[in-house]
Amino acid sequence: MTLPKFEYFAPESLDEAQQLLLDQGVGAHLLAGGTDLLVKMNHGLLKPASVIALKHIKELEAITYDPKEGLKIGATALLADVAAHADIRKHYPAIAAGAHETANVQIRNMGTVAGNLCNAAPSADNAPTLLAMDAEVEIKSATGERRLPLDQFFKGPGQNALASGEILTAIHVPAPGSGEGVSYQHISARGKVDISAVCVGVMVHMAENGCDDVRIFLGAVAPVPMRAAKAEALVRGKQLTEETIEAAGIAAMEESQPITDVRSSADYRKKMVAVLTRRALAEARDRALKR
Amino acid sequence: MKHPIELKINGDIYSLAVDPWRTLNEVLREDLHLTGTKLGCGSGDCGACTVLVDGRSVSSCLTLALEVQGKEIQTVEGLAPSGDTLHPIQEAFVEKGAIQCGFCTSGMEMSAAYLLSQNSSPTEQEIREGLSGHLCRCTGYIQIVDAISDAAQKMKQS
């Protein structure tokens, strides 16, 4: 098990990294935690000519929270640090849960939330909650920068919206408002350690006349994390009774498009979409009513 | 092209020239002959290669050697305080019969050391969660969980 040969660069500033990425061209690959990249290289799925390490760039590792601006998770912030961050646990418990329930202790001590998104696995544990919370990604290159809503970032299994020369530098999540509740639910074969067979992120906003806003995202049941629009339509404008939640679970199950693979059958995935959507809606509702 | 690096491992400093594509696991085992750290799955699932970097447990098979330059690395060889005294975690593994073939043991012990550095009196559930990134194909985990629980108590007493 030897990695293919490559050149290695460890820039200490973002400017330097962007210039390197430009100079090295299409054969260059960015390295954050390496927990996906090195596995792919080990298995011969990826042979980058050069690897540009991001963990030596101090400005990329920060996690900041502001009650007005919301949350900013830097590109190299570790899953373990996101999961343990006091402000994230308090104001974004579903984001903390997603990070905490990604893989195992060692991987969380190496891997990053941004890397989990860039790897663009349909099953990415951190995607559904961030999608439900309307997160945006901050993308920078030598020639400029842009913000992209996360729901436009995933292009297919392993495919993201980054163009050549671009670096995802941070994830921005709006400040949670009053009446808002978020939940993340997932299930996998090997306890919480294995890649999720199904994962669900839900955000609801509860007003006096019921749920006036909802976003439901399903992971590992389509080529990219998918929005369950039909389930949302059944919930929007309604009180979140057990009957409404049950109906939304069934709608999400019907609109999901899972495949059968080593982790689960399509049939089981569909059934779990219903169960996890119900659980997530109930928890998001309960959290919203507490705020 | 080889890069000159200094690695600080178990308090000793090693000056090496390393190709970029070599992992910390390869350098530990092949160059430095610190073979207590094992290589299992090569994909972060089995935990046999676990070492501590700046006090945090990581998979050495998924870590480039060049990425840990200047950091404090601890392997199972650095766990025991001396050549003839075992670390309380190692003692407990022996006493509780938590070792059979031994292949998973060094990784398990490093994760136990990390867990106990974060939480000096973990519950059984917390120990199991702390070991979730490890596979053992011999003992069935119960003796391993018992050993870590026992080590936690002894380390608190001393």
Side-chain angles (χ1 to χ4, degrees), chain A residues 8 42 56 81 106 109 190, chain B residues 42 50 56-57 67 132 134:
Chain A
Y8 168 87
N42 257 335
H56 311 271
D81 290 341
Q106 297 95 310
N109 278 337
R190 189 180 153 199
Chain B
T50 303
R56 300 177 86 141
S57 58
E67 285 280 277
S132 60
H134 291 268

Side-chain angles (χ1 to χ4, degrees), chain B residues 19-116:
Chain B
D19 282 317
W21 52 89
R22 301 199 64 221
T23 63
L24 175 60
N25 188 276
E26 289 171 320
V27 170
L28 287 173
R29 291 179 54 82
E30 296 165 11
D31 296 13
L32 305 177
H33 307 293
L34 294 168
T35 53
T37 303
K38 305 304 179 196
L39 177 65
C41 66
S43 52
D45 290 312
C46 80
C49 70
T50 303
V51 300
L52 306 188
V53 174
D54 282 348
R56 300 177 86 141
S57 58
V58 304
S59 302
S60 64
C61 76
L62 298 181
T63 301
L64 295 179
L66 295 184
E67 285 280 277
V68 291
Q69 171 156 227
K71 296 183 188 290
E72 298 269 354
I73 298 156
Q74 196 188 6
T75 69
V76 72
E77 287 89 348
L79 205 52
S82 74
D84 45 26
T85 314
L86 292 178
H87 187 280
I89 291 170
Q90 295 172 311
E91 274 179 3
F93 267 64
V94 174
E95 281 169 17
K96 294 288 175 186
I99 306 168
Q100 282 189 32
C101 85
F103 196 84
C104 74
T105 307
S106 58
M108 291 275 190
E109 289 179 346
M110 297 318 286
S111 276
Y114 174 68
L115 173 69
L116 297 182

Side-chain angles (χ1 to χ4, degrees), chain A residues 7-253:
Chain A
E7 274 197 274
Y8 168 87
F9 301 93
E12 289 181 3
S13 73
L14 193 54
D15 285 347
E16 203 188 327
Q18 284 160 343
Q19 193 55 48
L20 274 167
L21 200 49
L22 210 59
D23 296 345
Q24 295 296 313
V26 288
H29 210 291
L30 297 170
L31 168 70
T35 57
D36 282 312
L37 180 63
L38 265 67
V39 174
K40 285 184 184 169
M41 288 166 69
N42 257 335
H43 291 163
L45 301 173
L46 208 58
K47 285 182 185 168
S50 57
V51 166
I52 302 169
L54 295 177
K55 276 195 177 171
H56 311 271
I57 304 171
K58 284 279 166 237
E59 64 184 285
L60 292 184
E61 65 184 35
I63 301 170
T64 55
Y65 169 72
D66 177 277
K68 285 202 184 99
E69 299 294 314
L71 176 66
K72 179 180 176 185
I73 301 172
T76 60
L78 298 178
L79 287 157
D81 290 341
V82 169
H85 194 276
D87 287 322
I88 299 179
R89 287 167 64 109
K90 185 171 177 199
H91 302 290
Y92 302 87
I95 291 178
H100 182 67
E101 288 165 24
T102 305
N104 58 45
V105 179
Q106 297 95 310
I107 301 297
R108 292 196 293 275
N109 278 337
M110 308 167 72
T112 63
V113 174
N116 189 230
L117 300 181
C118 287
N119 193 51
S123 57
D125 276 304
N126 298 274
T129 309
L130 290 168
L131 285 162
M133 295 195 78
D134 238 339
E136 290 187 340
V137 288
E138 177 187 290
I139 297 168
K140 291 184 178 170
S141 71
T143 53
E145 72 174 85
R146 61 183 175 129
R147 285 261 203 125
L148 187 69
L150 187 58
D151 61 11
Q152 295 170 34
F153 183 71
F154 301 105
K155 297 297 180 192
Q159 303 293 316
N160 63 45
L162 292 177
S164 174
E166 287 188 322
I167 301 174
L168 191 162
T169 49
I171 302 152
H172 292 265
V173 194
S178 64
E180 200 174 291
V182 186
S183 172
Y184 175 66
Q185 302 288 329
H186 72 130
I187 195 161
S188 63
R190 189 180 153 199
K192 305 239 179 221
V193 177
D194 203 1
I195 292 167
S196 288
V198 177
C199 50
V200 177
V202 166
M203 188 279 292
V204 297
H205 185 269
M206 301 300 290
E208 272 188 23
N209 54 351
C211 169
D212 62 355
D213 195 14
V214 58
R215 288 166 68 90
I216 302 173
F217 282 86
L218 314 175
V221 294
V224 297
M226 68 166 276
R227 191 165 186 178
K230 287 177 185 160
E232 288 179 6
L234 285 177
V235 169
R236 204 171 280 114
K238 302 242 179 68
Q239 294 294 347
L240 290 188
T241 61
E242 295 311 307
E243 293 73 34
T244 305
I245 287 175
E246 175 87 28
I250 291 167
M253 174 177 81

